[in-house]
Amino acid sequence: MGEFEHSIDNKGRLIIPAKFRNQVGSTCVVTRGMDHSLSVYTMEEWDKVKQRLAQLPSTKGNARKFVRFIFSAATECEFDKQGRINIPQNLLTHAEIDKKCAIIGVSSHFEIWDADNWSTYQADAAEDFDDIAEEIGDLNF
């Protein structure tokens, strides 16, 4: 849970908030996410993701594309003593990250966004929030 803003340095290092670091451990997996974001998983959660992806039908072209898209970019990242991870350039390019990042909690993982892209995404989602809630069903709030 939560939303934080940090800046990435010129070496591709990003400070991960202690709240998330404490839940992740010393190593995490970073890969491409949806909507030009990056998804960050604990090693345990990554194992679950791998299992779910392995269940996709390899006879379906889009399933193969999706699996390749996720696995080809996945990288293990270790936290340094300052609580930073080093994000590879191909992932920074995918997420359109230049400097400022939004780090957001999303259920079983967290995501890293370019801060401007996250602001735009939030504004768009806020406009359609009631319609989205209705479309996805009874949330029981």
Side-chain angles (χ1 to χ4, degrees), residues 44-68:
E44 181 181 339
E45 191 61 33
W46 178 245
D47 286 339
K48 293 176 187 177
V49 170
K50 289 190 306 186
Q51 290 173 9
R52 289 191 302 267
L53 290 175
Q55 293 174 3
L56 293 175
S58 62
T59 56
K60 301 280 187 183
N62 281 338
R64 290 191 307 272
K65 286 178 187 176
F66 187 79
V67 169
R68 289 173 180 147

Side-chain angles (χ1 to χ4, degrees), residues 96-116:
E96 302 172 343
I97 293 173
D98 183 39
K99 188 73 175 162
K100 289 186 179 180
C101 300
I103 304 165
I104 62 166
V106 184
S107 186
S108 61
H109 66 288
F110 64 91
E111 294 177 344
I112 302 169
W113 288 71
D114 172 79
D116 291 337

